[in-house]
Amino acid sequence: MALVLHTFDGNKNAFKALIAAEYSGVKVELAKNFQMGVSNKTPEYLKMNPIGKVPILETPDGPVFESNAIARYVTRSKSDNPLYGSSLIEYAHIEQWIDFSATEVDANTGKWLFPRLGFAPYVAVSEEAAIAALKRSLGALNTHLASNTYLVGHSVTLADIVMTCNLYMGFARIMTKNFTSEFPHVERYFWTMVNQPNFKKVMGDVKQADSVPQVQKKAAAPKEQKPKEAKKEAPKEAPKPKAAEKPEEEEEAPKPKPKNPLDLLPPSKMILDEWKRLYSNTKTNFREVAIKGFWDMYDPEGYSLWFCDYKYNDENTVSFVTMNKVGGFLQRMDLCRKYAFGKMLVIGSEPPFKVKGLWLFRGPEIPKFVMDEVYDMELYEWTKVDISDEAQKERVSAMIEDLEPFEGEALLDAKCFK
Amino acid sequence: MALVLHAGSGNKNAFKALIAAEYSGVKVELVKNFQMGVSNKTPEFLKMNPIGKIPVLETPDGPVFESNAIARYVTRSKADNPLYGSSLIEYAHIEQWNDFSATEVDANIGKWLYPRLGIAPYVAVSEEAAIAALKRSLGALNTHLASNTYLVGHSVTLADIVMTCNLYMGFARIMTKSFTSEFPHVERYFWTMVNQPNFKKVLGDVKQAESVPPVQKKAPPPKEQKPKEAKKEAPKEAPKPKAVEKPEEEEEAPKPKPKNPLDLLPPSKMILDEWKRLYSNTKTNFREVAIKGFWDMYDPEGYSLWFCDYKYNDENTVSFVTMNKVGGFLQRMDLCRKYAFGKMLVIGSEPPFKVKGLWLFRGPEIPKFVMDEVYDMELYEWTKVDISDEAQKERVSAMIEDLEPFEGESLLDAKCFK
């Protein structure tokens, strides 16, 4: 009787067992008609794994869950398997790298990726910590691979199978070339591994992520089960894994996720992050340093400037309600943080307060995805800035600076989106 | 030559190898004079583990890192060790629970605990997700232990050693009785395990956490290395592990971390969370429902009410600077969220603005740790509310309600701490 693996298509955690089976000459079949969210909720399934996650391996002696444990079972079902090394110390090193891969690489990749896919709450400060931790672990891995072709010994072991499957999720979904180029030995290792015949048979062709996924709009909190299941999910564009008995099938990988149109624009001489740093770090002589720097940096071909005026100022009778409204607008604009800088002013010393803003967007127009997804946009009148008009140019400078009085009135609040 | 373990005292990840050694009759020594932050930064140590974390096991054949891999090495260094089960399927189940323990239990306890110790950024929404995930995994574990004494088979295996050491960090530091009582089989299992002679020899006496650690004040971000190392750290109050050659030594566990003095007060009939929910959920008839409810709930013996007035109102000439100052004060008050409710008002339609507040604190006085740690406290004049004075009582109600005008003036902002 063959071993039966219960999983959805393209699960990188299931790949571990399937690739180990290829190397070991063990037969592992995929369960027929597995449907995520349905098949793993049946009483029969929950009896095999009380937490309801995938994958699960069904064996003649009973079920096994946890993907690394499943891969170990498959490997050890062949006696004296070279995938487990040839000595006690090699075995220990294989286990060392399997655990490192799970707790340092996979966990930190997930902490970065899952909030961006909406499976976990997105928090900018937590993402920064996850990226820093991932860089540290990839740095350590890079150090090790600088003097080793494989993780342990001189041929592929289970450690390499597990590590490559965990790196796969990062490379395919979120780690761009720009990110991984800091770890050249990891890159060399990953691409060598995924092109081994036994990997390619299961994974198909692998493409690196072209961009970091956008943060989803703030939605209702996902069901409790969803964040956990996400750990076992593989990217949607991953090819369908082929069972061992269909070696001749060669499926082409689907196209990677479409890029943000703003990434396809011709490069601009203006680097938005440099402006944001100048804006944030200038404490004195703001006009001479930051404002002048802005106009030196500004690229009217790669970016555009816009004024916006709130259409319903007569509603703004309570000061803190008005300010909360503007604060919410800026939060919802987070999806284009890479492409925009904004200033919003709440104006007037008595109600009704006026709300006016200045925005810098990548590209010649307001980006379509922003107009489509941020409902606040239609509450404002948008006017493109004519920078050849000195009065308009001065108004831009005044808004960046929070100059008071603004058009003869006091400022109640000034919020920056950067 | 004995195996040498490099780890700080009281490291629960080091306990895994030490307990496995006890069961296996293998000798493992702790390295002399290990100093966290120093010994693990030397070039010799980094050569053993490029990521600089502990523990690391030194063996005649070379070093091993990752605590579960170290425990596996120690276990397998004895042939046919019953800690690894007696069949392939038992081996697979042991590995299944080792991985479950690492990725579901340990990781989620860490996601809850480390932000509260200041080792990772604290974000309330992320903590909620971590607690939900931990409850789900402990629920699954509880289901399994409802019909099993040990995780696998009918005696202690490596899976039990790893699971118990991971649960130890939770039970000792953050999982209170009210939290764990939802998982009675896990409780029974944990206390049975830590009282086994071979566990007790290494762990000493174990006490359950009496309260959840309060969130630390917002400090500058920790050095990058610190968050990762914390994963390997054990709680400070854990007893020093004893090497195997000193079995006769029986060190008493040091006293658990002192409680917050407010937890030692006689119980109050007022439940602060109930008031906070009533305040948040009342949308209409606020005075009749929420304000009346407050006075019905209020316990003048268990709590006290305070007015505060900013001492330097003449400085408050810029509205949004004033509001940011109050916002910062509330953020720094997060350390007493369990014990307080507050309202802060920014008053006046033109500068200079006045800042006044109302606070409810557990206990008859303003808590000492708040006065000591929140530097904003001394910028305000604090007056205890005399609730027998109807005018003062009415002022409390008006401040809770954000009633306008307030003492004849309009409100610029009203912020709630809850």
Side-chain angles (χ1 to χ4, degrees), chain B residues 228-274:
Chain B
K228 291 288 99 182
E229 286 173 85
K231 276 173 101 176
K232 309 287 186 183
E233 275 176 21
K236 280 175 228 147
E237 69 263 21
K240 187 184 178 106
K242 296 172 285 288
V244 295
E245 73 270 13
K246 296 191 262 179
E248 71 283 357
E249 190 178 333
E250 192 68 36
E251 189 179 329
E252 182 166 335
K255 292 236 171 1
K257 184 174 177 181
K259 286 192 218 191
N260 191 305
L262 299 183
D263 290 322
L264 299 173
L265 294 172
S268 165
K269 70 178 171 75
M270 181 177 199
I271 298 172
L272 190 57
D273 279 352
E274 278 184 16

Side-chain angles (χ1 to χ4, degrees), chain B residues 77-284:
Chain B
S77 63
K78 173 184 172 177
D80 298 322
N81 196 329
L83 287 185
Y84 246 132
S86 56
S87 64
L88 178 59
I89 191 65
E90 282 198 347
Y91 159 74
H93 286 153
I94 289 164
E95 291 295 358
Q96 159 189 292
W97 288 109
N98 282 345
D99 284 355
F100 179 93
S101 179
T103 63
E104 303 292 340
V105 176
D106 188 37
N108 285 323
I109 290 172
K111 282 179 186 173
W112 185 13
L113 177 63
Y114 296 146
R116 282 180 172 265
L117 299 181
I119 291 164
Y122 175 81
V123 182
V125 66
S126 299
E127 176 174 85
E128 284 161 30
I131 293 172
L134 178 59
K135 284 186 171 181
R136 187 180 174 200
S137 37
L138 292 179
L141 181 62
N142 195 60
T143 298
H144 180 73
L145 291 171
S147 52
N148 291 280
T149 303
Y150 302 100
L151 290 176
V152 181
H154 301 291
S155 58
V156 173
T157 64
L158 182 61
D160 298 302
I161 295 172
V162 169
M163 179 67 78
T164 301
C165 290
N166 285 339
L167 286 171
Y168 170 85
M169 179 170 74
F171 271 85
R173 295 301 297 265
I174 197 163
M175 300 189 329
T176 58
K177 176 65 181 175
S178 73
F179 182 89
T180 59
S181 61
E182 190 181 333
F183 314 102
H185 299 292
V186 175
E187 285 183 327
R188 180 264 305 159
Y189 169 81
F190 178 76
W191 295 114
T192 301
M193 293 304 300
V194 296
N195 282 292
Q196 299 296 306
N198 282 336
F199 281 80
K200 207 160 176 135
K201 210 183 281 187
V202 174
L203 296 173
D205 280 341
V206 180
K207 299 288 195 301
Q208 184 156 13
E210 280 160 341
S211 63
V212 177
V215 180
Q216 303 300 303
K217 284 189 288 182
K218 240 165 189 163
K223 283 182 195 167
E224 176 189 334
Q225 189 162 324
K226 201 173 176 192
K228 291 288 99 182
E229 286 173 85
K231 276 173 101 176
K232 309 287 186 183
E233 275 176 21
K236 280 175 228 147
E237 69 263 21
K240 187 184 178 106
K242 296 172 285 288
V244 295
E245 73 270 13
K246 296 191 262 179
E248 71 283 357
E249 190 178 333
E250 192 68 36
E251 189 179 329
E252 182 166 335
K255 292 236 171 1
K257 184 174 177 181
K259 286 192 218 191
N260 191 305
L262 299 183
D263 290 322
L264 299 173
L265 294 172
S268 165
K269 70 178 171 75
M270 181 177 199
I271 298 172
L272 190 57
D273 279 352
E274 278 184 16
W275 157 241
K276 291 183 178 183
R277 270 194 296 273
L278 180 65
Y279 174 88
S280 301
N281 293 333
T282 303
K283 297 307 175 197
T284 57

Side-chain angles (χ1 to χ4, degrees), chain A residues 72-88:
Chain A
R72 290 183 178 103
Y73 175 93
V74 169
T75 300
R76 283 207 182 275
S77 63
K78 173 185 172 176
S79 56
D80 298 322
N81 197 329
L83 287 184
Y84 246 131
S86 56
S87 65
L88 178 59

Side-chain angles (χ1 to χ4, degrees), chain A residues 48-53 59 61-70 72-73 76-77 84 88-89 91-93 95-104 107-108 111 121-123 125-126 129 132-133 135-137 139-141 143-144 224-229 231-232 318-320 323-324 349-350 353 402 404 411-414, chain B residues 48-53 59 61-70 72-73 76-77 84 88-89 91-93 95-104 107-108 111 121-123 125-126 129 132-133 135-137 139-141 143-144 224-229 231-232 318-320 323-324 349-350 353 402 404 411-414:
Chain A
M48 293 197 286
N49 180 357
I51 206 168
K53 293 189 181 182
T59 84
D61 301 306
V64 182
F65 58 85
E66 286 291 337
S67 62
N68 291 352
I70 291 168
R72 290 183 178 103
Y73 175 93
R76 283 207 182 275
S77 63
Y84 246 131
L88 178 59
I89 192 65
Y91 159 74
H93 285 153
E95 291 293 354
Q96 162 189 290
W97 288 109
I98 288 174
D99 284 356
F100 179 94
S101 176
T103 63
E104 303 292 339
N108 286 321
K111 281 179 186 173
Y122 176 81
V123 182
V125 65
S126 299
K135 284 187 171 181
R136 186 180 175 201
S137 34
L141 181 61
T143 297
H144 180 72
E224 176 188 334
Q225 189 162 325
K226 202 173 177 192
K228 291 289 98 183
E229 285 174 83
K231 276 173 100 175
K232 307 287 185 184
V318 182
S319 55
F320 58 93
M323 284 183 282
N324 285 345
S349 54
E350 56 200 58
F353 305 101
D402 315 347
E404 274 197 271
L411 289 182
L412 194 69
D413 199 2
Chain B
M48 294 197 289
N49 181 358
I51 205 169
K53 293 189 183 183
T59 84
D61 301 305
V64 183
F65 58 85
E66 286 290 339
S67 62
N68 289 358
I70 291 168
R72 289 181 178 104
Y73 175 93
R76 282 206 183 276
S77 63
Y84 246 132
L88 178 59
I89 191 65
Y91 159 74
H93 286 153
E95 291 295 358
Q96 159 189 292
W97 288 109
N98 282 345
D99 284 355
F100 179 93
S101 179
T103 63
E104 303 292 340
N108 285 323
K111 282 179 186 173
Y122 175 81
V123 182
V125 66
S126 299
K135 284 186 171 181
R136 187 180 174 200
S137 37
L141 181 62
T143 298
H144 180 73
E224 176 189 334
Q225 189 162 324
K226 201 173 176 192
K228 291 288 99 182
E229 286 173 85
K231 276 173 101 176
K232 309 287 186 183
V318 182
S319 55
F320 57 94
M323 284 183 282
N324 285 345
S349 54
E350 56 200 57
F353 306 101
D402 314 346
E404 273 197 90
L411 290 182
L412 194 69
D413 198 3

Side-chain angles (χ1 to χ4, degrees), chain B residues 339-357:
Chain B
Y339 310 104
F341 170 87
K343 284 304 288 278
M344 296 296 296
L345 307 180
V346 183
I347 300 157
S349 54
E350 56 200 57
F353 306 101
K354 302 173 194 65
V355 177
K356 302 184 183 186

